[in-house]
Amino acid sequence: MNISSIAILFGSIITGNILLSYYLGMCSFLSISRELKSAIGLGVAVTFVMAITTPLNWIVYNIILVPLNITYLRFIVFIMVIAGIVQILEMIIERFSQTLYYSLGIFLPLITVNCAILGVNLFMIIRQYSFINSIFYGIGSGIGWLLAITLLAAIKQKISKNILPKGVEGAAISLIISGIMAIAFMGFSGIIPIN
Amino acid sequence: MSIFFSSVLAVTSISSFLVILILVIDLIINNYPNFDININNKKTIKVEGGKPLLFALKDKEIFIPSACGGRGSCGYCKVKVLNTSTPYLPTELPYLTDEEKKNNIRLSCQIKVKSNLNIEIPESLFSVHQYETKVLSLTDLTYDIKQVTLEIEKDQNIDFKSGQYIQFEVPPYKLTSETVYRAYSIASAPSDNKKIELEIRLVPNGICTTYVHQYLKVGDKVKINGPYGEFYLRPTDAEIIFIAGGSGMAPIKSILLDMKEKGINRKATYFFGAKTKKDLFLLDLMEDLMKAMPNFKFIPALSDLNADPDWQGERGLITDVVDKYILSGENKEAYLCGSPGMINACIGVLTKKGIPNEKIYYDKFA
């Protein structure tokens, strides 16, 4: 572990937040943020999947795809690994936490096609992170996503009793809130440059 | 060339590794212990965990009615579950009323046994049994409807009310890798408790119908369980309206034969909808029944206006024919059997005539 790993961890949580600065993983971000509890549940699930798949895909990429010179397969292989991990996660959650399982409902399988996860996996390749750094990057991006969805759910819960103009109800107000949150997160940029 | 091989090899080995990993974890995680199910506070049975309640009970020879065979599309397998942590699932909600939700009614095919459960079921379900039968005969009624006669084996007798249905067990074959169950109404009279008749219409790629039409032979063994259902003649003196289409003939035929045997001579009209003349069947039997029961009238109608120019009877959609014959709904009750579309259309016509909803009984093919 060196200083750059820590920088990547915090950078991916705050300055380079996968959700608020790259706008990846929006669909579940908007639809599961109605309730704080399920938002945190989904955030934890996404963090878990990112933290496992990013180093796993680093291994698959650097040990299998690069030596065989078949890096063009990275999209399909990454998706396959993510799908497998999500399947396993779903089985574990179903067995051990009924409440979480039913509150995540249909969105658990949707993690498979959550573009934030594939995005993190691909960024890790483009930025040529080392194995250690990819672990921190996966965890950091997951926590960043968790942080963003938790904040949005908390804000939405806070304003749920307020009367909104008809035109901005539902998804519209969520987008406005996340836009303002993104601007706020922009304020962090420059503290830790992430590349 | 080598890139082709290495691509295939890499993708195959990664995916097979993942599959093996999933299977191993599935084996470890989904290994539930056995659970106790307490039924009506009287009986406690031990069942295998992790299975849907419907199938866990079926393993213990307790048969909950289900017309769709556990796919969550008929909504018949309702059971009162007093203590489950499983919240209502999206697949259950369309079939449950608010009243039922208050009473902890669940669809037993959707909830899995993951803890000890207390459930309540109607006492009559204890009289549902599994029967081993032998195919006595297979007769073509029309080009797509077969009459199957099953003889109950061993010392068992099947006691049912006319109009009720049984479930037919289809063993694994070309179209299915597991045992499936499909519901069929009994077409024969309840007086013969050693034999039942079914009328099964071929549905393209239907698992059970294909099995019956193309694989089943005389002498084959068939397992059935039953009887189920609330579709039977109510003992009132109201005038009866029967409406059926296609293989919906079966339960109504059973009711009619039962009426004849018991000498029930209520005024009854039977509207039977078919597309063309070749979709009509059992016309001789209906003639005989009309002779034996002077108050009974059979009215077949063809919906294809251009077919069979020599046809003397009624033409048009069955709803139009019913509309024409039934002038008022006073002191009448209706028994319908057929496709959901036909039944919904007929309920519309009948309520317009003034027959209250609770006097309209029906069997929908789900």
Side-chain angles (χ1 to χ4, degrees), chain A residues 6-186:
Chain A
I6 303 292
I8 284 171
L9 178 71
F10 283 102
S12 53
I13 296 175
I14 301 167
T15 52
N17 189 299
I18 191 80
L19 220 163
L20 294 172
S21 48
Y22 296 96
Y23 266 70
L24 288 175
M26 284 304 284
C27 79
S28 37
F29 175 67
L30 291 178
S31 48
I32 293 281
S33 55
R34 230 161 285 144
E35 209 187 312
L36 190 57
K37 223 174 119 195
S38 13
I40 294 176
L42 183 72
V44 170
V46 167
T47 310
F48 185 79
V49 174
M50 271 189 196
I52 291 181
T53 54
T54 314
L56 205 60
N57 276 333
W58 190 95
I59 297 173
V60 170
Y61 184 81
N62 287 298
I63 306 287
I64 302 174
L65 302 189
V66 172
L68 291 175
N69 202 16
I70 47 169
T71 50
Y72 74 95
L73 278 175
R74 64 186 179 276
F75 292 92
I76 194 162
V77 169
F78 285 0
I79 284 286
M80 233 158 58
V81 172
I82 293 167
I85 297 297
V86 168
Q87 178 68 46
I88 291 167
L89 184 68
E90 188 181 351
M91 290 192 303
I92 294 173
I93 293 181
E94 188 186 356
R95 181 75 167 94
F96 295 108
S97 172
Q98 288 287 308
T99 7
L100 185 59
Y101 182 71
Y102 289 110
S103 68
L104 295 183
I106 184 172
F107 293 99
L108 201 52
L110 277 182
I111 292 182
T112 310
V113 287
N114 187 326
C115 40
I117 293 175
L118 184 63
V120 165
N121 281 274
L122 293 171
F123 279 150
M124 159 205 61
I125 301 301
I126 294 168
R127 293 174 185 170
Q128 295 178 326
Y129 285 145
S130 68
F131 179 67
I132 301 290
N133 285 353
S134 76
I135 297 176
F136 282 94
Y137 183 56
I139 297 172
S141 299
I143 295 174
W145 203 90
L146 168 68
L147 180 69
I149 195 171
T150 310
L151 289 176
L152 178 67
I155 293 171
K156 271 168 97 174
Q157 198 152 315
K158 184 94 182 162
I159 63 165
S160 65
K161 291 196 180 68
N162 295 20
I163 299 160
L164 294 171
K166 261 262 167 299
V168 296
E169 277 174 3
I173 190 71
S174 308
L175 285 169
I176 293 172
I177 294 169
S178 46
I180 296 170
M181 279 163 61
I183 295 171
F185 271 68
M186 286 288 171

Side-chain angles (χ1 to χ4, degrees), chain B residues 34 93 108 126 133 145 159 173 182 188 213 273 295 307 309 327:
Chain B
N34 288 344
L93 292 175
S108 62
F126 288 119
T133 68
I145 300 179
D159 292 309
Y173 78 111
R182 291 290 183 269
S188 50
H213 276 255
N295 278 329
L327 300 174

Side-chain angles (χ1 to χ4, degrees), chain B residues 160-298:
Chain B
F160 61 95
K161 289 183 195 159
S162 55
Q164 286 192 303
Y165 67 91
I166 54 98
Q167 288 203 70
F168 189 105
E169 182 180 312
V170 186
Y173 78 111
K174 207 178 97 195
L175 288 187
T176 172
S177 56
E178 52 190 26
T179 305
V180 296
Y181 297 87
R182 291 290 183 269
Y184 293 99
S185 294
I186 304 172
S188 50
S191 54
D192 189 349
N193 60 11
K194 285 300 285 179
K195 231 170 30 193
I196 60 163
E197 279 169 24
L198 307 173
E199 286 165 5
I200 298 177
R201 179 184 196 158
L202 181 65
V203 178
N205 284 322
I207 290 176
C208 187
T209 63
T210 311
Y211 178 74
V212 168
H213 276 255
Q214 287 163 14
Y215 290 81
L216 201 63
K217 294 185 299 292
V218 171
D220 282 357
K221 306 271 185 210
V222 172
K223 275 188 195 158
I224 60 167
N225 60 65
Y228 304 103
E230 303 296 317
F231 187 74
Y232 48 82
L233 192 65
R234 302 306 194 266
T236 62
D237 56 5
E239 191 184 325
I240 307 163
I241 302 165
F242 294 115
I243 307 175
S247 54
M249 169 71 90
I252 295 186
K253 181 186 152 203
S254 172
I255 292 176
L256 287 169
L257 291 172
D258 196 34
M259 282 171 69
K260 182 186 149 198
E261 282 171 10
K262 290 183 177 152
I264 299 169
N265 203 7
R266 285 160 64 179
K267 196 161 188 296
T269 318
Y270 180 8
F271 299 94
F272 185 78
K275 195 157 179 255
T276 61
K277 224 164 140 181
K278 66 178 181 150
D279 295 302
L280 290 172
F281 56 99
L282 295 178
L283 297 178
D284 298 344
L285 177 77
M286 291 299 142
E287 285 292 325
D288 292 347
L289 284 171
M290 277 202 274
K291 273 179 206 146
M293 295 189 288
N295 278 329
F296 168 63
K297 200 159 180 229
F298 177 65

